[in-house]
Amino acid sequence: MIQKRRLITLMALATLPAAFTSAMAQSAPANWPNKPIHFVTPYPPGGSSDIITRFIGDRLSKALGQPIIVENKPGAGAILGTEYASKAAPDGYNFFVGPTATVAVAPYLRKTSYTWESFAPVAKLSSSYGLVSARKDAPFSNYKEFVAAAKANPNKYNFASNGVGSIVHLTGVLLHKQTGIQVTHIPYKGAVESMSDMIGGRIDVMYDPVPAPRVKAGELKGLATASDERNPQLPDVPTLKEQGFDVNVPSWFGLFAPKGTPPAIVARMAEETRKVLASPGVREQLLLSAMYPDFEGPADFGKRVQQDANYLKEVIQKESIKAD
């Protein structure tokens, strides 16, 4: 009788849905987490990366029942912090929040000890409402008009970026190539400095979401939204696609773990992140930094990181873009 019952039990287990058995295998250790978790951001306090890291970290801390300690590790164009995070112990207590530029671009521009394959993708956190803006007295009011003006006056206009190889720079490169215009590139160390120069009339155009509040206040012109949908804060600024331009350089923030982190912990962190991004007030908070929640789990986000890295590598090589 006992053997018969055992046989029935084994037969029942064999017929369990694959999804259920997979979920059982992916269950995180019962005692995880049992100590503080570290989130590294490769930028200084106050910027978009720091803001989203602390905001998401605070909510995840409440969900997981353990403090999440944010470590700002800026330097060398965000490479120092990214390298630091890639070498952290893969024990489920170390994570990294970074944008497209440092994960999928930097390794093809500078000498780094990491690549995107040094990390285990956990979750895509957000995408950016990109923005093309211009000085207030510019003789064009949208991107289509800017292209016409630039074609009529090669190299008369300039555009600012926050560094060679940044997403802001690559957006400009791709748009200028697609439209056949010649615009002088002026790299800066950060968007705040370049925006100040644009307000002062020394810069003509920027491909960066940072000036959104200045556009909303009427201090600068909004030429186009560089994303698939219009920014709710700037509903009158049409997208590039609406104006006939089909360039959308990937711009996201993602949560990563060091390669080798147990898959079950990655899966648990991804699920808690999904819940956080879907909770009330998150969209409104991210919108303040020109971002919106855009969750993808480990598998889908991993595919995206690989595709974006390959695409941006090709752009960098084809356009012979060199780091400073």
Side-chain angles (χ1 to χ4, degrees), residues 55-199:
F55 178 71
I56 299 298
D58 179 65
R59 297 222 171 182
L60 282 172
S61 174
K62 294 173 182 176
L64 294 169
Q66 286 291 339
I68 289 183
I69 300 170
V70 174
E71 297 183 52
N72 295 89
K73 298 286 184 180
I79 289 175
L80 288 182
T82 310
E83 289 183 335
Y84 173 85
S86 71
K87 296 174 182 176
D91 57 4
Y93 292 91
N94 295 292
F95 293 86
F96 172 71
V97 176
T100 318
T102 186
V103 177
V105 176
Y108 306 120
L109 282 173
R110 298 173 174 86
K111 185 177 180 180
T112 66
S113 64
Y114 71 89
T115 68
W116 62 268
E117 294 175 289
S118 303
F119 294 96
V122 178
K124 183 182 179 188
L125 301 176
S126 67
S127 288
S128 171
Y129 284 113
L131 175 66
V132 185
S133 56
R135 54 187 170 83
K136 187 176 181 180
D137 61 346
F140 32 81
S141 298
N142 57 49
Y143 199 73
K144 199 168 185 178
E145 292 179 2
F146 168 63
V147 170
K151 281 185 176 181
N153 302 277
N155 289 316
K156 176 181 178 179
Y157 301 106
N158 58 41
F159 80 103
S161 81
N162 50 7
V164 173
S166 63
I167 292 301
V168 173
H169 178 215
L170 295 180
T171 299
V173 168
L174 288 171
L175 275 169
H176 300 163
K177 182 177 181 180
Q178 182 188 100
T179 56
I181 60 177
Q182 298 175 38
V183 185
T184 302
H185 175 220
I186 301 179
Y188 284 76
K189 292 183 178 180
V192 175
E193 293 87 349
S194 54
M195 182 173 61
S196 296
D197 275 359
M198 190 160 67
I199 291 173

Side-chain angles (χ1 to χ4, degrees), residues 48 126-131 208-213 225 227 231-234 251 253 283-293:
S48 296
S126 67
S127 288
S128 171
Y129 284 113
L131 175 66
D208 195 301
V210 171
T225 300
S227 54
N231 186 333
Q233 290 190 317
L234 302 170
S251 181
F253 274 99
R283 178 171 291 271
E284 292 75 12
Q285 183 65 35
L286 294 185
L287 185 57
L288 298 177
S289 297
M291 295 183 282
Y292 57 93

